[in-house]
Amino acid sequence: MSMPSPKERILATTFELFAKQGYNSTGINQIISEANVARASFYQYFKSKEDLCVEFLKVRHDYWFKELHQFIPKDRDAKSTVASSFDFLIYMNQKEDFRGCSFLNILSEIPMDNVKILSVIQDHKADLRKYFSELVEDQDLSDHIYLLFESSIIESQLFRSDELIEKSKKIVIQIIK
């Protein structure tokens, strides 16, 4: 197996450091050092920490949706698929030790006028909302499910517990026709 490229090492290190210490407390010098790349390599791929964050979030978006689609069995009805989506949150909590949502974690650290990063976060959340609206035709109901899903992520991270994910899943099963 070949060694990851400098860009891959930078992104993997970024994921670990942002998860452990947050966006604002993670500096470029630390990323360069821990990724074991030359400063020139970092700047070959990223003009700034902000550009790195945008790329990190785009990679995270692709990874998260790929994991979601692989986790959920194919050819299931809407109710089963939505229920499995909540099971996916439990799976991710176990896999990533309740690290929460990368997008919301970073959102809490950036100023709201940082449109470059904010727009990537908004796009991710819009895609997640669209995911539920494609499963459940009733727009109000699909938005309600989306909000339960989002709040389940936050609460499970805060309390390091899957309890409210399980409760949200039960509610969703009851309200989907």
Side-chain angles (χ1 to χ4, degrees):
M1 190 165 114
S2 64
M3 185 168 172
S5 71
K7 184 177 183 181
E8 291 168 336
R9 292 197 314 271
I10 291 166
L11 288 167
T13 301
T14 297
F15 176 78
E16 292 302 320
L17 292 175
F18 283 3
K20 186 168 45 175
Q21 56 194 48
Y23 173 74
N24 288 333
S25 297
T26 302
I28 290 175
N29 290 336
Q30 183 184 15
I31 293 168
I32 289 169
S33 172
E34 293 194 23
N36 196 24
V37 297
R39 181 170 298 283
S41 291
F42 179 91
Y43 287 105
Q44 174 186 352
Y45 299 110
F46 309 104
K47 290 183 266 192
S48 65
K49 182 177 164 186
E50 182 184 55
D51 286 345
L52 169 62
C53 185
V54 166
E55 179 68 15
F56 161 73
L57 290 173
K58 288 179 178 178
V59 168
R60 184 69 181 160
H61 172 86
D62 292 343
Y63 167 80
W64 194 89
F65 273 100
K66 182 176 144 249
E67 287 282 306
L68 174 66
H69 292 301
Q70 286 178 347
F71 180 86
I72 296 175
K74 304 289 179 250
D75 301 326
R76 297 187 72 187
D77 63 10
K79 184 185 278 195
S80 298
T81 300
V82 170
S84 292
S85 300
F86 284 82
D87 292 333
F88 173 71
L89 291 182
I90 295 168
Y91 162 77
M92 289 300 283
N93 280 342
Q94 300 314 308
K95 184 175 182 177
E96 297 183 346
D97 194 31
F98 293 92
R99 76 170 310 280
C101 174
S102 300
F103 300 86
L104 296 179
N105 292 343
I106 289 173
L107 177 66
S108 71
E109 294 193 67
I110 63 166
M112 292 310 288
D113 64 352
N114 187 328
V115 179
K116 198 174 202 179
I117 294 174
L118 183 61
S119 67
V120 177
I121 295 169
Q122 288 171 334
D123 288 347
H124 173 74
K125 295 305 179 183
D127 284 350
L128 182 56
R129 189 174 173 197
K130 180 180 175 215
Y131 167 79
F132 287 114
S133 72
E134 289 173 349
L135 292 171
V136 179
E137 289 179 25
D138 180 322
Q139 191 63 51
D140 290 339
L141 181 56
S142 73
D143 283 345
H144 189 77
I145 293 166
Y146 164 76
L147 292 171
L148 276 171
F149 191 86
E150 281 294 303
S151 61
S152 292
I153 296 170
I154 295 164
E155 290 295 307
S156 67
Q157 178 186 17
L158 178 63
F159 294 104
R160 297 186 60 78
S161 167
D162 294 321
E163 176 191 3
L164 290 176
I165 297 172
E166 293 287 2
K167 286 184 178 182
S168 294
K169 178 181 162 184
K170 285 180 186 173
I171 292 166
V172 164
I173 290 169
Q174 290 171 1
I175 61 176
I176 297 176
K177 303 289 181 222

